[in-house]
Amino acid sequence: KGPWDCFGVLFGESDTAAHHFWLFHDQLSPRHDPRTGVEFRDALLRVYQALDEAVGELIERAGGDKTRVMILSDHGFGGAGLKTLHINRWLWSEGLLAFARRTGGGDTMINRLKRWGMRNVPTALQEQLFRRFSGRLASRIESASRYGSIHWPGTRAYSDELNYFPSIWINQKGREPQGTVEEGDDYCSTLVLITERLAGLKDPETGEPVVARAWRRDELYHGPYVQRAPDLVLELNLDRGYSYSCLPSPAGDAGPIIGRISPGDRLGAKGKGMNGTHRRDGILLLSGEGCASGRVEGAGLEDLAPTLLHLMGIEVPAQMDGRVLTEALSPVWLRQQPVPETRDRGPRVGRAFTREPVVFTPEEEDTLRRRLQGLGYLEEDD
C-alpha cells in the first residue's frame, strides 16, 4: 500500500515439516521404515519447493535482481535417533536431585491426565481453553508435570528436560522457593561438580561422551537478563549423526538414564520427541547490490540487523549487538560505504562455537577441589 525500505517475512513450514517428516526424507535415519510412509518421502522436498516459489515471487514483485535479499534460518535441522536422555534421572544418580517417590518409579496422575487431554480433547478446544485462561492453566499443568515428582529440600540441581534446550538449573537459595544451594562458593562448586560429572556421562552402547560441553550462561549470553537463563546449557553430542531425545524422567528413580524409544513412538509426538530435531548451525544467503560472492563463516543472528542497516545507509547504533558482516560485502561497496571502526569488530570470539574453555589456575582448582571434598562430593583421592 505504500513505499517501504525493509520487508521481512517468516515462513515456519520448513521447521514444522522437518520435525514431523524427517524420518521419511532420510532413508539412513534409524527411525526410517522403508515399508511405511511411502507417500511422505518427498513431503519435505515439496515444502522447500513451495517456499522457493514463494521467495521467487516476492523478489519479482519487489524489483527482481535489483533487490537485496537476505534468506536465513535461525537454526539447522537433522534427524533424531532411537535413544532418549533423562537428565533429572542422571542428576538423581549423582546425588544432586531427590525424587518424592524413591521406589518403583512409575508415573504421576498429572502426567496421565495431561496425556489423556492431549489425546482426547480436540485441538480447537485445547486452543480455546488456553486462550480463555491466558495460558495460566496450561502453565500450572506443565509445571506440575515437569516438577511435581521432585523433592525440593533434597535437590541441589534440576533440569526442565526440554528436548530443544537441554539445560540444568541450580536450586539456589533466595531464587528458588525451596532452594538448597547457597549463593557464592557453594553455587560455584556445584557448577564445577556438575560439569566434571557430565564429562563422565557415557553412552553405554558406544562408550562415547553424551555431553560435548556444559556452558555456563555467562559464557553464552550478556546483558541485563542473563539471570533468566539456565545456569548450565548443555551441548549434546550426536550419536552416529543423530540426536538424543531429551525427555522427562518418570517419577521415581527406576529406569535407565539413556533409554530407547518404543517402536510405536518412532514418529514422535509432543512429550515423546520429534523424529527431526534442531541443529546449531543454520544458513545465511545474501545477494544484491553491495554483496560479495563467497562463503561467510561464523555469522550470528545478532549480526543481521547491523548488516541490513549498513546496506540501507543507516548508521548502526553503538549499543546494538552484533557487527556488520564486512566479509559478505564487495570491496567496491566498502570503499564507497566504509564501516566505522567502532562497528568493524571482526568475528566475535564470544560465541559458543569459538570461545575457548574457561581455564582455572592450579590454586583455583585446588580451592574448588577442597570445597567439593568438604561437601562430600569428592573423595580425598579423587
Side-chain angles (χ1 to χ4, degrees):
K1 296 181 179 180
W4 42 265
D5 299 308
C6 184
F7 172 77
V9 60
L10 168 67
F11 291 106
E13 290 79 7
S14 56
D15 180 274
T16 302
H19 275 304
H20 292 281
F21 293 97
W22 189 273
L23 82 165
F24 303 112
H25 151 80
D26 181 5
Q27 297 184 22
L28 297 179
S29 168
R31 298 194 184 203
H32 180 78
D33 186 344
R35 299 166 298 177
T36 61
V38 176
E39 67 272 29
F40 301 130
R41 294 285 165 81
D42 64 344
L44 198 53
L45 173 63
R46 294 202 308 269
V47 168
Y48 273 91
Q49 288 172 335
L51 292 175
D52 188 59
E53 291 177 2
V55 170
E57 183 177 352
L58 286 171
I59 294 173
E60 183 179 352
R61 294 194 179 195
D65 294 339
K66 298 179 181 180
T67 305
R68 293 194 188 98
V69 182
M70 177 183 285
I71 300 176
L72 65 115
S73 67
D74 58 334
H75 55 74
F77 246 99
L82 298 174
K83 295 177 182 177
T84 61
L85 172 64
H86 303 280
I87 299 176
N88 280 341
R89 191 176 280 161
W90 175 81
L91 288 168
W92 169 84
S93 73
E94 297 292 331
L96 294 162
L97 180 144
F99 285 115
R101 296 176 61 188
R102 294 304 305 277
T103 58
D107 205 352
T108 62
M109 178 63 71
I110 194 69
N111 279 333
R112 292 194 291 270
L113 287 173
K114 174 185 169 184
R115 286 198 299 271
W116 181 90
M118 293 177 64
R119 185 172 59 250
N120 296 288
V121 177
T123 302
L125 180 56
Q126 292 183 38
E127 294 173 351
Q128 291 177 15
L129 291 171
F130 186 88
R131 288 194 296 268
R132 181 174 181 179
F133 294 99
S134 303
R136 293 191 301 273
L137 179 60
S139 179
R140 290 180 180 179
I141 292 175
E142 188 66 20
S143 294
S145 173
R146 288 191 179 277
Y147 312 123
S149 63
I150 296 177
H151 178 63
W152 295 105
T155 293
R156 297 181 63 81
Y158 66 96
S159 174
D160 298 321
E161 298 188 299
L162 297 173
N163 192 42
Y164 59 88
F165 192 49
S167 58
I168 292 176
W169 294 83
I170 303 301
N171 190 24
Q172 184 177 330
K173 285 185 178 180
R175 186 181 70 182
E176 313 292 352
Q178 300 182 62
T180 60
V181 178
E182 297 283 356
E183 186 177 2
D185 291 347
D186 193 14
Y187 173 87
C188 293
S189 298
T190 304
L191 284 180
V192 173
L193 171 71
I194 295 173
T195 301
E196 289 182 348
R197 296 287 178 85
L198 282 170
L201 176 59
K202 304 291 182 65
D203 187 316
E205 182 180 314
T206 65
E208 296 296 323
V210 174
V211 179
R213 177 75 188 269
W215 297 91
R216 294 205 307 261
R217 58 187 177 192
D218 57 354
E219 294 180 282
L220 299 177
Y221 310 118
H222 68 279
Y225 300 106
V226 173
Q227 300 303 314
R228 296 187 181 183
D231 298 285
L232 286 173
V233 177
L234 307 186
E235 181 183 352
L236 302 182
N237 283 315
L238 298 178
D239 175 31
R240 289 165 286 198
Y242 293 88
S243 300
Y244 294 91
S245 293
C246 184
L247 300 181
S249 301
D253 51 42
I257 295 168
I258 298 176
R260 297 181 75 86
I261 64 169
S262 63
D265 289 335
R266 289 191 173 211
L267 282 175
K270 288 185 177 180
K272 297 181 180 179
M274 300 296 185
N275 64 77
T277 60
H278 295 175
R279 293 292 187 268
R280 182 181 61 191
D281 295 329
I283 62 169
L284 168 64
L285 305 174
L286 188 62
S287 69
E289 183 186 3
C291 301
S293 299
R295 186 179 180 91
V296 177
E297 299 284 356
L301 289 174
E302 67 272 25
D303 300 328
L304 305 181
T307 303
L308 286 172
L309 289 173
H310 178 74
L311 283 170
M312 292 190 293
I314 300 173
E315 182 180 357
V316 182
Q319 69 272 22
M320 178 176 278
D321 288 342
R323 65 183 182 90
V324 176
L325 295 171
T326 54
E327 63 269 40
L329 305 180
S330 70
V332 174
W333 174 269
L334 290 172
R335 283 196 297 270
Q336 296 173 347
Q337 305 286 340
V339 178
E341 292 184 5
T342 55
R343 295 303 312 177
D344 189 13
R345 302 171 181 173
R348 184 185 299 172
V349 298
R351 297 196 182 99
F353 46 87
T354 53
R355 170 168 289 195
E356 292 297 322
V358 175
V359 178
F360 294 101
T361 66
E363 293 77 16
E364 290 173 332
E365 287 186 345
D366 184 63
T367 300
L368 289 171
R369 185 171 299 278
R370 284 188 283 105
R371 288 172 182 163
L372 292 172
Q373 289 172 344
L375 292 170
Y377 290 120
L378 292 178
E379 301 294 336
E380 292 294 330
D381 57 350
D382 281 349

